[in-house]
Each structure stands twice: as C-alpha cells, then as structure tokens.
C-alpha cells in the first residue's frame, strides 16, 4: 500500500500469509488461497492488463528519467494489493465498481491498524471524512494520491478508482525521481517504499518473476498436438504454490505432511513436482503414476549420459540423489525446450519456468509422446 508510512512424493509453502500490511488492512481481503492461485497472465483480468501496459506507454511523460519499469512490476503490486480488483466490475473506461476501500486508519488496532491518519480529502476518494483509508486496486492513501495521481484515460480526472489512472500513478510512485529498476537494489527499494515490510517486498518480487515469465512465454513454435496440450496445461499453473503431496488430475489440491525438511502441504492448495506432471499429462488423456520415481519407469528412458541436449519438449526430466539409480529419484520436471523446464521445485516456491540445471543430480528423462 502506497502509504508513505514511517511506520514419497517428490520435492511446500504458500505465498506468505502476511502478504502485506495493505492486505491485512484491506476490507474484505481475499483468502490466501485466492491470492496465491494462478500466476500466468490468465489470472489478470484483461482490462487490468491493458491498464498496466498503458501505464508503460505514458510513463515517460511523467518520469522521463525512470528506467526499467515493466508491466509485470505493476501487475505484481496490484496482485498483492487487490488481486487485480478481482470480483469487481471494470468498465471499458477503466472505472472499478464497487470501489475498493481499505479499513479506516484510525489507530483502533483492527487488522494491524495502529496508526491514525487524519483526513486529507474530505472523503472524496475514500468515502469518509473521519480519517484516511487506502483506495483502489493499488491501495493508495488519498494523501499519497494527491502527489502522484495522474489522468491516464483522458477524462480530465485523476481517479485512484480507475484502473488506468491507478496503474499510471503506481508507476510514477515506484519510479520516484527516476530510479533504474533494472538494478535489483533500486527495485527492492522502490517496493519497500510502497510498503515498508520485507515480507511484502519478497511477495511482490516473487510475482514479478512469475509475470515476467508469462510475458516472456517460452516459444512453442513447432510444438503441436498432444505435446502442446501437456506443456500448455503445465504453463497455465505458473504461480500456484508448491504443496508437498499436492496436485491431482483435476488440478491443485491440498497436500500432506511432511517433506524431508518438515514442511506440511496439508493447508496449502497447490502442486508438488509429480503432482504437476500428473496433472499436465492428464489434460492430454495420459495417466501417470503419482511419484517421480514411478514416473521414471514408464515411457522411453533417456539416459543421463546423453546430456540434456537429448531432451525434447514434453519429456519428463528426472533428478536423483544418486544418478544412475532410479530408486533414488527425488524430483521430476516437464521439459519445455531451450534448456528450460516447468518446475514445482520445493517448499516455499511456486510453479515456474526454470533452467534444467536448477536442480541437482540430473538423472535423464523419459519420453511418453
């Protein structure tokens, strides 16, 4: 929230339950499960995605020295702040109805509200003259909006409840006086300014990675038929949290306890590695065994000695504690091509695109198609 506050399955953790101070203060905040599911551009309402991209086109007129601003940065912030205004109507002009309001910041203590903010807008944006509350899909305080608000949709009003205006205002705020957001330290500082919480920064950075992967969708030229169906199904789950024992042919599911590191998936709806491959292949009508080691026993085995260059899109990729001994296989991914795989890596991560070198103990692959 832009507050200017001083104030024997394979290799499980959700997106942080303390996603941000703004989410804790948001009236009617979404559940953790709702916020965590998804992660490709498919979880962004098209009109909101349009707003994020439009902000990129207009930002140069407002902060010409800003470098490295990308729509995935805005999308990540809006994901954490309001889940892209999901559940609200977004008109063609970008107006969001009903409006999104946070709780009244009067220091009463509810939802972590310990600081009182006096009214600055007479209730124009936050609907009350009794104090301040965060507003819109990017959860601006009216006092902050007064400094960064901009008219992006051409109606002569800078409205934090309008998707276009709010996205541009957020871009202006994150850019500051002209940050270079290609530098990780400056990007982290910008996010921290938005909400002074290290957990918040980590969550936003995670979503930036997911939306960046979606924006740079792996090329699928030449991939068709059943292989395309399998890969597309797996890619559609990017951003879904890792859950030890999670995942079925129907999709994400609650997992079990406990991983070798002691992490439980029982309260996390998501996938572990073999649950993800099980789901992806089921979309093409192919049933796989449940565990990574068992999946290595089907199809045509691709020996590790041939190297990763022998893999083709759609192949299963295996990793073992003792490569050469399939009984020690602990992990499976789905090969995309160009040295990349779709991966549910480990507790604390989400389904994402990784290099095939991201896991240790490469143990070859298996071709089912």
């Amino acid at each position: 929230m832009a507050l200017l506050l001083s104030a024997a399955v394979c290799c499980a953790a959700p997106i942080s339950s303390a996603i941000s101070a703004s989410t804790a203060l948001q009236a009617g905040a979404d559940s953790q499960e709702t916020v965590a599911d998804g992660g490709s551009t498919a979880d962004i309402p098209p009109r909101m995605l349009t707003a994020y991209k439009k902000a990129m086109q207009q930002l140069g007129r407002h902060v010409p020295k800003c470098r490295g601003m990308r729509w995935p940065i805005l999308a990540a912030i809006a994901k954490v702040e309001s889940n892209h205004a999901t559940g609200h109507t977004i008109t063609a002009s970008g107006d969001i109805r009903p409006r999104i309001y946070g709780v009244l910041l009067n220091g009463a203590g509810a939802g972590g509200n310990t600081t009182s903010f006096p009214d600055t807008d007479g209730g124009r944006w936050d609907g009350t003259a009794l104090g301040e509350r965060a507003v819109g899909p990017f959860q601006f305080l009216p006092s902050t909006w007064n400094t960064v608000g901009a008219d992006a949709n051409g109606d002569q009003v800078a409205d934090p409840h309008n998707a276009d205006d709010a996205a541009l205002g957020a871009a202006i705020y994150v850019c500051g006086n002209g940050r270079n957001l290609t530098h990780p330290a400056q990007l982290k500082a910008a996010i921290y300014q938005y909400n002074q919480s290290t957990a918040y920064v980590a969550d936003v950075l995670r979503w930036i990675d997911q939306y960046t992967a979606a924006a740079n969708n792996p090329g699928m030229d030449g991939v068709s038929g059943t292989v395309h169906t399998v890969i597309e199904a797996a890619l559609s789950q990017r951003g879904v949290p890792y859950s030890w024992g999670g995942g079925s042919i129907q999709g994400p599911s609650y997992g079990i306890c406990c991983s070798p590191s002691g992490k439980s998936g029982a309260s996390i709806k998501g996938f572990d590695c073999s649950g993800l491959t099980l789901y992806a292949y089921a979309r093409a009508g192919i049933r796989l065994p449940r565990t990574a080691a068992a999946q290595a026993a089907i199809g045509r085995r691709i020996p590790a000695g041939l190297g990763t260059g022998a893999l083709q899109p759609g192949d299963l990729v295996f990793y073992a504690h003792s490569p050469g001994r399939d009984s020690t296989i602990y992990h499976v991914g789905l090969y995309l091509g160009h040295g990349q795989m779709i991966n549910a890596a480990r507790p604390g991560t989400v389904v994402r695109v990784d290099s095939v070198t991201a896991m240790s103990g490469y143990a070859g692959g298996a071709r089912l198609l």
Side-chain angles (χ1 to χ4, degrees):
M1 174 168 50
L3 295 180
L4 293 175
L5 292 174
S6 58
V9 286
C10 67
C11 60
I15 301 298
S16 170
S17 59
I19 286 179
S20 71
S22 61
T23 301
L25 295 174
Q26 179 184 330
D30 296 300
S31 70
Q32 175 181 309
E33 174 185 326
T34 302
V35 172
D37 285 353
S40 70
T41 54
D43 79 323
I44 304 175
R47 186 61 184 83
M48 291 300 291
L49 183 58
T50 295
Y52 307 150
K53 292 181 177 180
K54 181 184 289 187
M56 298 303 92
Q57 298 169 358
Q58 300 180 350
L59 179 62
R61 297 200 301 267
H62 299 271
V63 193
K65 294 183 179 180
C66 186
R67 297 290 180 270
M69 173 57 75
R70 300 171 287 124
W71 72 256
I73 296 174
L74 297 180
I77 293 171
K79 176 70 175 181
V80 174
E81 294 292 347
S82 71
N83 198 20
H84 306 299
T86 298
H88 297 255
T89 298
I90 308 170
T91 68
S93 63
D95 291 331
I96 297 171
R97 299 292 184 269
R99 291 180 166 188
I100 302 172
Y101 294 119
V103 300
L104 182 64
L105 297 172
N106 58 5
N113 167 20
T114 59
T115 304
S116 178
F117 288 82
D119 176 66
T120 62
D121 69 333
R124 180 186 183 191
W125 299 125
D126 61 6
T128 178
L130 298 178
E132 296 276 82
R133 54 182 179 175
V135 298
F138 285 88
Q139 288 291 276
F140 280 102
L141 279 185
S143 56
T144 306
W145 183 251
N146 287 339
T147 66
V148 300
D151 172 28
N153 69 345
D155 65 356
Q156 309 305 309
V157 177
D159 184 352
H161 297 283
N162 178 274
D164 297 331
D165 295 357
L168 180 56
I172 293 169
Y173 185 70
V174 170
C175 278
N177 292 325
R179 288 189 175 97
N180 186 342
L181 300 174
T182 64
H183 292 174
Q186 293 195 39
L187 177 59
K188 289 180 181 179
I191 299 169
Y192 188 78
Q193 170 188 280
Y194 209 100
N195 187 316
Q196 295 180 12
S197 159
T198 55
Y200 179 88
V201 172
D203 288 324
V204 171
L205 289 173
R206 185 180 297 120
W207 283 109
I208 290 173
D209 287 344
Q210 295 305 310
Y211 290 130
T212 298
N216 301 318
N217 204 38
M220 295 179 68
D221 294 342
V223 177
S224 60
T226 304
V227 173
H228 189 281
T229 298
V230 171
I231 291 177
E232 186 175 52
L235 284 172
S236 73
Q237 300 305 307
R238 282 177 295 180
V240 173
Y242 182 98
S243 175
W244 178 262
S248 70
I249 61 173
Q250 284 81 33
S253 67
Y254 291 97
I256 60 175
C257 188
C258 283
S259 74
S261 61
K263 302 294 185 179
S264 174
S267 63
I268 305 165
K269 189 176 183 181
F271 290 101
D272 65 13
C273 63
S274 56
L276 178 63
T277 53
L278 177 79
Y279 166 77
Y281 268 90
R283 297 302 90 193
I286 299 171
R287 294 295 294 267
L288 299 184
R290 183 58 182 82
T291 67
Q295 290 178 5
I298 63 174
R300 181 166 68 84
R301 235 10 201 106
I302 303 166
L306 296 179
T308 59
L311 297 171
Q312 295 181 7
D315 288 347
L316 297 176
V317 188
F318 299 106
Y319 301 83
H321 295 296
S322 299
R325 295 174 55 197
D326 281 1
S327 62
T328 69
I329 286 176
Y330 72 92
H331 190 78
V332 60
L334 181 65
Y335 191 65
L336 281 174
H338 306 290
Q340 294 183 306
M341 64 177 173
I342 312 167
N343 193 25
R346 61 182 63 85
T349 66
V350 295
V351 176
R352 63 195 185 193
V353 174
D354 274 334
S355 167
V356 293
T357 62
M359 311 299 293
S360 62
Y362 175 64
R367 187 161 300 148
L368 283 64
L369 301 172

